[in-house]
Amino acid sequence: MAEKSYRDAIREALQEEMARDERVLILGEEVGVWGGSYAVTRGLYDVFGARRVIDTPIAEAEFIGAAVGMAMGGLRPVAELMTINFSLIAIDQIVNNAAKIHYMFGGQVKVPLVIRMPAGWGQLGATHSQTFEGWFAHVPGLIVAMPGTPYDAKGMLKSAIRSDNPVVFIEHARLYGMKGEVPDGEYTLPFGVSDVKRTGKDVTIVTWSRMLQVSLAAAETLSKEGIECEVIDLRTLRPLDLAPVYASVEKTHRVLVVEEDWTTLGMGAEIAARIAHDRFDQLDAPVERLGQTEVPVPYAKNLEALMFPDEPRVAETVRKLIG
Amino acid sequence: MTIDKGEGVEWYRKMVLIRRFEERAEAAYGEGLIGGFLHLYIGEEAIAVGAMAALAPDDDVLTHYRDHGYLLARGIDPRPVMAELFGRATGVSKGKGGSMHMAVVREHLWGGYAIVGGHVPLAAGMAFANRYLGNPRVVACFMGEGATNIGTFYAGLNLAAVWKVPLVAIVENNHYAMGSPVERVSAVRDIYRKACAFDMPGVQVDGNDVLAVRGAVRERVEAARAGGGPQLIEAVTYRFRGHSMGDPQRYRTKDEVEAAKEKDPIPRWRSVLLDGGIATGAELDGIDAAVEAEVAEAVRFATESPAPEASEIDRDVLVAEGADHG
Ligand SMILES: Cc1ncc(C[n+]2csc(CCOP(=O)(O)OP(=O)(O)O)c2C)c(N)n1
């Protein structure tokens, strides 16, 4: 198998799907000549031209709304928001139009739309460092994918493009350079199927996206201390597949949810509530949660470094959970 | 028009200050002392300086994320501005805002906003508040031409026009929004003509001519202050550097950039001062040297300033209940 970066895996999925299906096209700010603000679409403009790789004005509500219309009109648009931060501008189009149109018109209309957007941070300040996956996962009518490896990113994006549903596809800016095995041949990955990325018997870590990598690193450290973590990657937040989590709880009896988003009223709360409800008698300890410090992200490097769960904090929380 | 010597020389000093400040910031970014996004204002200095010269010192200002120049043009000490770029506790926003979010409210600089166009409705609301409270202040709202394609621009200016509030929108047309030339993303290329959508006055000015900018802004500010409602100014300029640090600039040619530099507002104004006998070469060279020293001092100050205390992390999330609402 070939080693490829998360970025290249996503580009490959785009390119293959565009080659396969004339109805697939890309639109967004700077996706063409510039090649995407995180260089994901680089080169596609040269291959497919301005007809299928469309640079839009800075007008997120309008081009996401237009993408919904394109999808209704028979195309399969892949819209890129430069970052998840700008999805706030398009939130009405995403929630009220993309998500609801199929249901609201009694199933008559389909919106086969993919909205790709990177989450991330890096001294960008409060308006540019947000992670809203919990907000999108809150909305029925959307599929929310958030891959944490290059392999998953490619397979899930292909499924997203072929899906007749609106898919919110959240990438992570700090994973783009990460390399992993990606086979050259064709493959797709289903939504709503969590993946056990590491097996263990002592604690179950539930996570997704970049926090998967942080959790795996912490699991390595803990393994040297004789603590074996099972690390489960949700991959899609809606639909949410907790079956492997439940199976794991029956083994470990202890759970830690690691997310990059704010914890209050977020994914971790939902997961903890479901485990508590469905596997109450299996728990030896309350479900533990780790997430972002609940403040707007500060610019100063030293403060920003305190914001997100990192390997030492994940390891420390696991030790406490066991201890 | 005769140029007042004191003013003319001061505009020169401020433009040079912004230029040198940003060059040092560029270098500091290269050394890893500044992180995140850094958008330089180099080439556009005449707009901030000309506009601030036309505004009263207590007129309110909202800007976008390319914001260092406005602070310096208003006369803010470069040291806390540099310190903010370095993420230090002594920065204008206490190190929490960074390059894109700089505010000095005591000088009526209400902040740099990094979501394109998002600040236009804020400016309309602030102008409403000023009129409501009987303040004679005008609100100036700076943005790039790319911002004139987003809904908040239209809806914000429409509100300002419906309310007839004293707002002056200053659009810096530097020809590119990141890599998108204005022709590719805007149906109307002369941005000032967009004013007709709101039935408000719109004018275009050479943004590389500090005197012309001062004149145009002064006229519009006077009209707004006199009850004429919102006004739109398009200042035509060019951005010499990339959109932000690390922009490979594949969307334009070196020749185009070099040609634009022929119209550099700083040498241009220097020639006006020299040719008009308003200042001597020695005087202006003295200013150049003083500015160099001032910027070096700002870098020293920023370098030696402490990072924010860890306890700052959750400070100022909310205003304490029971605080003075005055
Ligand atoms: C709503 C929104 N979309 C996208 C971005 C990313 N972005 C930052 S600056 C910029 C270009 C803005 O161009 P313009 O308004 O012309 O100002 P200039 O940078 O040329 O000064 C873009 C697309 C953003 N900050 N906000």
Side-chain angles (χ1 to χ4, degrees):
Chain A
M1 263 208 263
E3 285 261 312
K4 283 169 199 160
S5 71
Y6 187 87
R7 172 187 285 111
D8 290 343
I10 293 169
R11 185 187 305 111
E12 228 173 65
L14 290 169
Q15 179 149 2
E16 288 174 15
E17 291 305 300
M18 289 180 83
R20 200 180 69 89
D21 184 346
E22 180 78 19
R23 295 169 303 170
V24 178
L25 49 82
I26 292 176
L27 72 161
E29 292 151 21
E30 310 292 352
V31 294
V33 179
W34 187 296
S37 50
Y38 287 97
V40 174
T41 58
R42 184 165 295 168
L44 296 180
Y45 182 84
D46 303 325
V47 178
F48 298 103
R51 184 172 157 263
R52 295 183 67 196
V53 182
I54 303 164
D55 278 323
T56 65
I58 308 168
E60 284 79 3
E62 294 73 15
F63 82 73
I64 293 294
V68 172
M70 288 176 179
M72 291 165 67
L75 299 177
R76 306 189 81 84
V78 181
E80 173 180 297
L81 286 168
M82 281 186 159
T83 72
I84 197 166
N85 303 285
F86 311 141
S87 71
L88 294 184
I89 293 162
I91 203 92
D92 175 59
Q93 293 295 341
I94 299 171
V95 174
N96 275 325
N97 289 337
K100 295 180 186 167
I101 278 174
H102 183 64
Y103 183 85
M104 196 160 70
F105 299 125
Q108 299 176 83
V109 189
K110 286 190 294 197
V111 183
L113 162 67
V114 182
I115 306 173
R116 292 183 37 244
M117 47 186 148
W121 42 275
Q123 283 205 279
L124 303 174
T127 61
H128 275 58
S129 309
Q130 302 168 102
T131 313
F132 293 131
E133 68 264 24
W135 295 24
F136 291 111
H138 190 65
V139 182
L142 295 178
I143 287 170
V144 181
M146 204 167 177
T149 68
Y151 177 85
D152 289 349
K154 180 171 177 186
M156 287 167 67
L157 183 54
K158 281 179 153 263
S159 297
I161 294 170
R162 295 181 196 183
S163 168
D164 279 340
N165 285 301
V167 180
V168 170
F169 196 88
I170 304 173
E171 298 161 15
H172 201 293
R174 299 184 90 82
L175 288 179
Y176 280 136
M178 182 207 158
K179 295 221 162 143
E181 307 260 283
V182 178
D184 285 324
E186 155 88 18
Y187 68 97
T188 58
L189 292 173
F191 300 128
V193 179
S194 299
D195 191 36
V196 180
K197 289 282 194 308
R198 185 184 206 285
T199 52
K201 59 177 185 7
D202 299 320
V203 171
T204 305
I205 300 179
V206 183
T207 189
W208 57 93
S209 189
R210 194 182 74 90
M211 286 295 131
L212 166 66
Q213 300 304 332
V214 170
S215 300
L216 286 172
E220 276 303 307
T221 307
L222 290 163
S223 176
K224 292 187 195 110
E225 300 166 19
I227 303 170
E228 295 301 335
C229 297
E230 184 136 301
V231 181
I232 299 178
D233 178 6
L234 296 179
R235 300 198 292 196
T236 49
L237 304 180
R238 182 180 273 271
L240 182 60
D241 170 29
L242 291 185
V245 176
Y246 293 165
S248 185
V249 175
E250 279 157 24
K251 203 163 48 164
T252 66
H253 312 290
R254 287 180 167 81
V255 186
L256 165 64
V257 185
V258 187
E259 60 188 320
E260 200 170 273
D261 210 346
W262 296 307
T263 38
T264 298
L265 303 171
M267 281 306 299
E270 176 65 27
I271 293 162
R274 290 201 195 190
I275 296 171
H277 183 274
D278 295 345
R279 289 296 181 277
F280 183 67
D281 53 355
Q282 290 292 327
L283 288 173
D284 283 350
V287 176
E288 201 57 67
R289 298 187 281 140
L290 258 185
Q292 186 181 142
T293 305
E294 300 224 356
V295 303
V297 181
Y299 167 80
K301 201 173 188 167
N302 65 317
L303 295 185
E304 193 187 51
L306 301 173
M307 286 295 296
F308 304 95
D310 55 7
E311 189 199 320
R313 257 171 281 170
V314 172
E316 192 45 41
T317 311
V318 169
R319 285 184 204 110
K320 272 199 213 135
L321 196 51
I322 285 190
Chain B
M1 196 202 265
T2 55
I3 300 160
D4 175 83
K5 168 162 179 154
E7 268 186 345
V9 171
E10 178 59 6
W11 299 346
Y12 175 81
R13 188 187 73 80
K14 281 184 168 160
M15 289 197 288
V16 174
L17 173 62
I18 297 171
R19 178 75 51 99
R20 295 288 102 77
F21 180 95
E22 298 237 305
E23 287 166 354
R24 290 302 291 260
E26 188 175 29
Y29 190 92
E31 293 161 37
L33 296 166
I34 297 172
F37 294 147
L38 178 68
H39 308 86
L40 300 178
Y41 195 58
I42 291 176
E44 306 184 34
E45 296 90 344
I47 300 172
V49 171
M52 291 298 174
L55 291 161
D58 65 347
D59 280 333
D60 297 303
V61 175
L62 287 85
T63 74
H64 61 164
Y65 47 84
R66 200 178 293 286
D67 55 355
H68 329 136
Y70 307 104
L71 277 73
L72 300 175
R74 184 147 267 197
I76 305 299
D77 183 344
R79 292 179 302 172
V81 182
M82 192 63 87
E84 188 61 36
L85 292 180
F86 280 50
R88 303 301 161 105
T90 52
V92 290
S93 301
K94 299 185 184 161
K96 286 181 168 169
S99 165
M100 305 195 289
H101 309 110
M102 294 190 164
V104 185
V105 167
R106 115 187 90 74
E107 301 291 343
H108 297 267
L109 295 165
W110 292 95
Y113 294 85
I115 304 297
V116 168
H119 60 317
V120 181
L122 271 59
M126 185 170 282
F128 181 96
N130 282 343
R131 201 193 42 190
Y132 185 94
L133 295 170
N135 296 326
R137 299 200 296 266
V138 165
V139 177
C141 181
F142 291 88
M143 72 200 83
E145 87 292 337
T148 70
N149 298 314
I150 198 161
T152 45
F153 171 83
Y154 295 93
L157 289 187
N158 185 61
L159 260 186
V162 168
W163 290 341
K164 229 169 180 309
V165 292
L167 168 67
V168 179
I170 301 168
V171 178
E172 302 194 13
N173 184 353
N174 63 16
H175 291 92
Y176 291 93
M178 290 189 70
S180 296
V182 65
E183 311 81 64
R184 194 136 47 83
V185 286
S186 182
V188 172
R189 291 150 193 209
D190 287 318
I191 303 297
Y192 74 97
R193 291 176 54 215
K194 295 191 180 188
C196 79
F198 320 107
D199 203 14
M200 70 169 70
V203 298
Q204 191 177 50
V205 63
D206 178 351
N208 289 351
D209 178 345
V210 65
L211 185 62
V213 172
R214 202 276 305 258
V217 176
R218 181 183 266 179
E219 264 181 31
R220 293 305 112 205
V221 165
E222 277 169 9
R225 215 187 299 281
Q231 316 279 322
L232 180 68
I233 300 167
E234 174 192 8
V236 181
T237 182
Y238 198 85
R239 142 166 85 60
F240 293 170
R241 294 294 204 274
H243 167 69
S244 65
M245 305 302 294
D247 167 7
Q249 302 190 58
R250 269 188 281 268
Y251 49 85
R252 62 186 188 183
T253 63
K254 283 215 171 63
D255 287 352
E256 180 187 312
V257 179
E258 288 313 311
K261 284 184 183 165
E262 308 268 301
K263 298 184 195 152
D264 188 329
I266 297 178
R268 186 164 157 186
W269 188 241
R270 187 180 168 105
S271 307
V272 171
L273 295 177
L274 293 176
D275 296 350
I278 299 158
T280 65
E283 279 174 280
L284 299 182
D285 291 348
I287 287 175
D288 292 350
V291 163
E292 288 279 2
E294 199 180 355
V295 172
E297 166 57 14
V299 172
R300 185 206 60 78
F301 175 82
T303 309
E304 291 174 10
S305 289
E309 298 283 345
S311 61
E312 273 290 315
I313 200 161
D314 59 357
R315 188 177 169 153
D316 293 333
V317 175
L318 290 174
V319 177
E321 291 300 336
D324 182 3
H325 292 296

